[in-house]
Amino acid sequence: MHNCKDCKIKSAAARNLNQEEFEILESNSVQVRFKKGDIIFKEEALTLNVAYLKTGMVKLHKKGPSREKILRIVRAPSYLGIPTTFGDKINHFSATAILDTSVCFIDANYFKNFILHNGQFAYEIITDLCRNELNDYQRYTSYDQKQIPGRIADTLICFAEKLFDSYTFQLPLNRSEMGDLIGTSRESVSRILTEFNQEKIIELQTSQITILKPDLLREISEKG
Amino acid sequence: MHNCKDCKIKSAAARNLNQEEFEILESNSVQVRFKKGDIIFKEEALTLNVAYLKTGMVKLHKKGPSREKILRIVRAPSYLGIPTTFGDKINHFSATAILDTSVCFIDANYFKNFILHNGQFAYEIITDLCRNELNDYQRYTSYDQKQIPGRIADTLICFAEKLFDSYTFQLPLNRSEMGDLIGTSRESVSRILTEFNQEKIIELQTSQITILKPDLLREISEKG
DNA sequence: AGTAAAATGTGATTTATATCACACTTTCTG
DNA sequence: CAGAAAGTGTGATATAAATCACATTTTACT
């Protein structure tokens, strides 16, 4: 059986659980591995679990009127489906691994009990939800008002600084998914990346990216 | 002094408070009235309060790279600033009354204590945050992929069905604010509304709107 | 009530980006 | 490792919506 108490990548919330609660957690959760491309949970399915992303990277996405929309990229460690568990019984979005990933599924009833009986646990879940909301507002406001080059510049900087901690990285999304994330077509993504490459702002080899001039990217991002 | 315990428009969370907690709430909150156009709290200011919208209607909005972005319209009763209180010390968005409004400000420390010591209270706050997040995802996905007529159709239906419970209502936003909400220019909003009016889908008198053909609007909304 | 200020409507023009079409390249898979 | 399938690059064209410009209407104010 897995050991949650000594897990090195506990959530901020789980750090507040006591001995007894850890035992409950351990016997009411399972850890599952997913490969890049695997679906972790699916829009419109019923949820009975809270998903906690222990390692790897995931896209949260949902069906839009004309195509798929990527809501947000999540890097481990992080909860994946709190809104999808407590906002409605049915998932309003899907989660798909974009890197090899391991996820702990926690029985929603026990998770709920932690919220009800452990104030610190609940408080950490709330701050987590709040921070996500603020991030989302920030991102949607930018995407809403920036033109495509600005959105791509944003995204590249975010990937480097928030997701990979490195200016060289393997893009975890293909051009079409990049389009779904920032709200444009795969062709436009392609064109702008080529342009950035020609202007030596980035070095591009299909999906391997090196950001050569982060400051210039930031400038493009700010100008919209 | 105001009376929270017998308040008829308590939040779902507050319904779980006990006698002692209501006394704490009563002596650590104030009720303030705002007129249409008044700022309730402002982006970049420090927050020490949770705002609860008791009556009226409010827009949550934030500065974007080129203009103001309206994040969401809130109808009473509802909390206004939970993410802004627990996500960061500094407000990431502003709240402005779009109708005459009354707001209760609750000392954030006491509010936090309710979360820590009253599990049902915390649970209700969490489900509220989750539902908002799901709504936001839904809305942003639509706006992202629909053309302007579809977004306006969406918005009109939402105003009628979610905010005013009536197919006749006074638009609480001017054309420019409508643009900030759906991500377009005031001119485009104006043009589309005129068009809907000419096609007798709505009846329009400046800011007085009657939806004549809700089904047609819904169809326009779906087609994007 | 009368004037100033703000908001709105609407045509003409420009522009960013979608779409279409197709060649090319990378990656899977047996 | 060969062939198929998926993904990518890039030109040509179409188009939705932004912007500009200005007349008109509505609202606010003393």
Side-chain angles (χ1 to χ4, degrees):
Chain A
M1 202 226 272
H2 59 211
N3 181 329
C4 296
K5 194 185 171 203
D6 300 322
C7 177
K8 298 288 183 221
I9 39 190
K10 280 196 281 290
S11 71
R15 277 187 218 114
N16 297 293
L17 298 178
N18 63 32
Q19 178 63 36
E20 188 195 348
E21 288 166 329
F22 272 119
E23 280 162 23
I24 293 169
L25 180 58
E26 277 159 23
S27 48
N28 293 286
S29 64
V30 288
Q31 187 176 326
V32 183
R33 299 190 151 279
F34 294 94
K35 290 225 204 79
K36 181 175 172 137
D38 290 348
I39 296 171
I40 297 168
F41 57 78
K42 208 162 158 35
E43 193 174 350
E44 287 167 348
L46 267 165
T47 352
L48 301 162
N49 297 296
V50 175
Y52 177 68
L53 179 64
K54 203 170 152 187
T55 61
M57 208 174 277
V58 165
K59 63 171 177 177
L60 305 182
H61 53 111
K62 92 187 246 88
K63 281 202 221 89
S66 65
R67 63 175 77 190
E68 202 70 10
K69 167 79 188 167
I70 297 184
L71 300 167
R72 157 155 96 81
I73 305 294
V74 186
R75 169 201 184 168
S78 169
Y79 288 103
L80 285 179
I82 295 185
T84 229
T85 316
F86 291 100
D88 193 1
K89 278 165 203 163
I90 287 167
N91 289 331
H92 286 219
F93 54 81
S94 304
T96 301
I98 54 173
L99 295 177
D100 291 358
T101 277
S102 63
V103 175
C104 301
F105 291 97
I106 306 155
D107 184 313
N109 285 316
Y110 292 94
F111 192 92
K112 181 178 168 182
N113 276 330
F114 294 155
I115 292 168
L116 291 175
H117 301 301
N118 186 325
Q120 283 292 344
F121 184 90
Y123 180 72
E124 291 296 339
I125 296 297
I126 287 172
T127 57
D128 193 59
L129 286 167
C130 288
R131 283 208 201 93
N132 281 329
E133 189 166 329
L134 296 182
N135 270 331
D136 287 343
Y137 284 155
Q138 178 62 49
R139 207 171 57 261
Y140 285 122
T141 302
S142 302
Y143 285 170
D144 204 66
Q145 296 183 6
K146 283 179 187 170
Q147 308 189 174
I148 313 298
R151 297 187 212 172
I152 293 189
D154 259 11
T155 307
L156 293 177
I157 290 173
C158 169
F159 277 14
E161 297 183 351
K162 304 270 178 67
L163 299 182
F164 293 104
D165 304 316
S166 161
Y167 283 132
T168 307
F169 56 89
Q170 194 77 20
L171 257 190
L173 302 178
N174 64 30
R175 303 292 186 268
S176 174
E177 290 174 304
M178 285 278 284
D180 294 341
L181 176 63
I182 67 176
T184 186
S185 65
R186 63 159 199 86
E187 291 97 326
S188 294
V189 173
S190 193
R191 266 185 262 273
I192 303 293
L193 286 177
T194 307
E195 207 177 289
F196 285 176
N197 187 47
Q198 280 162 356
E199 291 165 5
K200 305 244 199 278
I201 300 169
I202 62 172
E203 204 181 299
L204 176 69
Q205 282 182 57
T206 330
S207 68
Q208 180 71 31
I209 288 198
T210 304
I211 297 182
L212 303 172
K213 296 177 186 157
D215 291 343
L216 223 172
L217 268 191
R218 249 182 289 271
E219 214 177 281
I220 291 166
S221 152
E222 264 154 45
K223 272 191 301 194
Chain B
M1 203 226 271
H2 60 208
N3 180 329
C4 297
K5 194 184 171 203
D6 300 322
C7 177
K8 299 287 182 221
I9 39 189
K10 278 196 283 288
S11 69
R15 277 186 218 114
N16 297 293
L17 299 178
N18 62 32
Q19 177 64 35
E20 188 194 349
E21 289 166 329
F22 271 119
E23 281 163 22
I24 292 169
L25 180 60
E26 277 160 21
S27 48
N28 292 286
S29 65
V30 289
Q31 186 177 326
V32 183
R33 299 190 151 279
F34 293 93
K35 290 225 205 77
K36 180 176 172 137
D38 289 348
I39 296 171
I40 297 168
F41 58 78
K42 210 163 157 33
E43 194 175 349
E44 287 167 346
L46 268 164
T47 354
L48 301 163
N49 298 297
V50 174
Y52 177 69
L53 180 63
K54 203 171 153 186
T55 62
M57 206 174 281
V58 164
K59 62 171 177 178
L60 304 182
H61 53 110
K62 90 186 248 89
K63 282 202 220 91
S66 65
R67 63 175 76 189
E68 203 70 8
K69 167 79 187 167
I70 296 183
L71 300 167
R72 156 156 95 84
I73 305 294
V74 186
R75 169 202 184 166
S78 169
Y79 288 102
L80 285 180
I82 295 184
T84 229
T85 314
F86 291 101
D88 192 0
K89 279 165 199 162
I90 287 166
N91 290 331
H92 287 219
F93 53 80
S94 304
T96 302
I98 55 173
L99 295 177
D100 291 357
T101 277
S102 63
V103 175
C104 300
F105 290 98
I106 305 154
D107 184 313
N109 285 315
Y110 292 95
F111 192 92
K112 181 180 168 181
N113 276 331
F114 294 155
I115 292 169
L116 291 175
H117 302 302
N118 186 324
Q120 284 291 345
F121 184 90
Y123 181 73
E124 291 296 340
I125 296 296
I126 286 173
T127 56
D128 192 60
L129 286 167
C130 288
R131 284 210 201 92
N132 281 327
E133 190 166 328
L134 296 181
N135 270 330
D136 287 341
Y137 284 154
Q138 179 62 50
R139 208 172 56 259
Y140 286 123
T141 301
S142 302
Y143 284 171
D144 204 65
Q145 297 182 4
K146 282 179 188 171
Q147 306 188 176
I148 312 299
R151 298 187 210 171
I152 292 188
D154 259 10
T155 308
L156 294 178
I157 288 173
C158 169
F159 276 14
E161 298 183 351
K162 304 271 176 68
L163 299 182
F164 293 105
D165 304 316
S166 162
Y167 284 132
T168 306
F169 56 90
Q170 195 76 21
L171 256 190
L173 303 177
N174 63 30
R175 302 294 185 268
S176 174
E177 290 174 305
M178 286 279 282
D180 294 340
L181 175 64
I182 67 176
T184 188
S185 64
R186 64 160 198 84
E187 290 97 327
S188 293
V189 173
S190 192
R191 264 185 264 270
I192 303 294
L193 286 176
T194 308
E195 208 175 288
F196 285 176
N197 187 48
Q198 279 163 356
E199 291 163 8
K200 305 245 198 277
I201 301 169
I202 62 172
E203 203 181 300
L204 176 69
Q205 282 183 59
T206 335
S207 66
Q208 181 70 30
I209 289 199
T210 304
I211 297 182
L212 302 173
K213 298 176 187 158
D215 291 342
L216 223 172
L217 267 191
R218 248 182 290 272
E219 215 178 281
I220 292 168
S221 153
E222 265 154 45
K223 273 191 303 197

